[in-house]
Amino acid sequence: MLGLKLPTDPRWANLAEKTLEEILTDHAYCEQKAATSCVTLIQLFPDKHLLVEKLAPIVTEEWGHFRQVLQELKKRNLSLGWQRKDEYVNALFKFQRKGGSRDDRLIEKLLICALIEARSCERFRLLSLNMENEEMREFYHKFMVAEAGHYRLFIDLAYHYGD
């Protein structure tokens, strides 16, 4: 369903659980970047009314997710670490074509956002199924569901503006 050609190794969840502070830190920054990406899309394409209407609530939701992850860090007496380079996202951006029409650029941006959300959904699913801590499994299940919805939204917007 998510269209990912290469799945994450399921053992990743076990490694992630051992470095919970790093995983939660990375997760927090990913939520922040997701909110920022939606704001940027709105700024670049204010004339795309459906996009603005659909992404405005996602900005709020993603920022809320950022705050939830911060709360989880605090609850576990962990600290928000430094933001790391996101090699996956940077690699996706390398495939983004330069030039083309404004509408082509929009569709590419939407598809890249969809791929980012798909990977997040897939990884949150692994965490929700494989973490030992029940509370953390539930925590990540909720994020998995949200990311799946965001993935679908970006795909739907790409179809809408691709017609």
Side-chain angles (χ1 to χ4, degrees):
M1 174 198 137
L2 296 173
L4 298 171
K5 297 285 185 192
L6 184 63
T8 299
D9 186 327
R11 294 174 294 181
W12 172 84
N14 302 115
L15 295 172
E17 193 165 24
K18 289 179 171 78
T19 58
L20 191 58
E21 188 170 43
E22 289 176 31
I23 290 301
L24 288 170
T25 290
D26 183 58
H27 182 179
Y29 286 120
C30 287
E31 297 293 351
Q32 181 189 43
K33 287 182 269 189
T36 301
S37 293
C38 290
V39 169
T40 299
L41 283 168
I42 291 168
Q43 290 171 329
L44 291 172
F45 302 96
D47 56 318
K48 305 294 186 186
H49 302 290
L50 182 65
L51 178 137
V52 173
E53 176 188 324
K54 296 294 186 180
L55 292 187
I58 301 300
V59 173
T60 305
E61 183 180 351
E62 297 285 22
W63 196 253
H65 289 169
F66 173 74
R67 294 180 63 220
Q68 287 175 22
V69 178
L70 290 180
Q71 288 172 343
E72 193 64 32
L73 280 161
K74 184 177 181 180
K75 181 171 97 177
R76 297 177 179 284
N77 294 316
L78 301 172
S79 298
L80 179 67
W82 296 99
Q83 183 175 350
R84 66 168 181 80
K85 273 179 121 174
D86 195 326
E87 293 180 26
Y88 175 73
V89 172
N90 290 335
L92 288 176
F93 285 136
K94 288 180 184 176
F95 288 99
Q96 190 173 347
R97 290 180 288 181
K98 308 297 183 243
S101 73
R102 186 169 178 268
D103 286 341
D104 289 345
R105 288 192 307 274
L106 169 60
I107 291 166
E108 285 205 0
K109 288 176 185 306
L110 291 169
L111 292 174
I112 288 172
C113 287
L115 285 170
I116 293 166
E117 297 290 339
R119 183 62 70 193
S120 295
C121 178
E122 182 226 14
R123 289 199 168 177
F124 291 157
R125 179 180 176 277
L126 287 175
L127 293 172
S128 74
L129 294 173
N130 296 304
M131 291 187 91
E132 288 183 21
N133 184 295
E134 173 72 27
E135 192 177 314
M136 290 305 294
R137 286 196 309 266
E138 291 174 16
F139 179 77
Y140 277 110
H141 178 79
K142 291 174 190 171
F143 284 105
M144 176 197 71
V145 170
E147 301 301 300
H150 299 163
Y151 162 78
R152 188 71 245 166
L153 173 63
F154 284 115
I155 293 292
D156 290 346
L157 287 170
Y159 275 120
H160 176 79
Y161 289 112
D163 285 341

